[in-house]
Amino acid sequence: QVQLVESGGGLVQAGGSLRLSCTEIASGRRFSSYAMGWFRQAPGKEREFVAAIGWKTTNIVYADSVKGRYTISRDNAKNTVYLQMNSLRPEDTAVYYCASRRIGITSYNVGEYDYWGQGTQVTVSS
């Protein structure tokens, strides 16, 4: 069973930065072979795609709303994916979820991710 554990959320002022981490634990699979993604869900809204990285780190995609401000990366030796968030805005406030696919190619689609973390709250004050 794949378990994903997120950390790094918190409260930050607009313009600030946070780095989220997501570690895959006790899965028994080769972490480096699989695509990882970040999604977010604000109160009363649907879960939306933020960023994803494939097994090839040249395969990286972002939502238009975060392009140029967020950076996704992975450290396969640590079974961890990161989301560096800069120039944060109040509209970035949401619960952020890490997700994993069973294949190595990225997807924008929530339904194409197989495993999910519990989420970490990010709150940006104005």
Side-chain angles (χ1 to χ4, degrees), residues 7-80:
S7 61
L11 173 64
V12 64
Q13 289 189 333
S17 298
L18 283 174
R19 188 177 81 155
L20 305 183
S21 300
C22 170
T23 299
E24 181 172 306
I25 59 173
S27 70
R29 67 176 191 170
R30 183 179 293 178
F31 175 81
S32 61
S33 297
Y34 303 100
M36 303 294 294
W38 287 96
F39 292 77
R40 66 186 182 187
Q41 188 166 18
K45 295 189 177 181
E46 292 188 353
R47 193 168 297 189
E48 65 174 7
F49 172 79
V50 174
I53 184 168
W55 74 275
K56 287 185 178 180
T57 53
T58 51
N59 179 205
I60 292 177
V61 290
Y62 295 98
D64 288 343
S65 58
V66 307
K67 207 171 288 184
R69 299 188 299 123
Y70 289 15
T71 301
I72 188 171
S73 61
R74 66 191 302 162
D75 184 339
N76 292 327
K78 296 181 179 179
N79 284 9
T80 298

Side-chain angles (χ1 to χ4, degrees), residues 71 88 124:
T71 301
L88 283 162
V124 184

Side-chain angles (χ1 to χ4, degrees), residues 2-4 6 38-39 47 97-100 109-111 113-118:
V2 174
Q3 286 185 275
L4 302 174
E6 300 112 331
W38 287 96
F39 292 77
R47 193 168 297 189
Y97 295 91
C98 171
S100 177
N109 191 335
V110 169
Y113 286 78
D114 304 291
Y115 306 104
W116 292 84
Q118 80 286 355

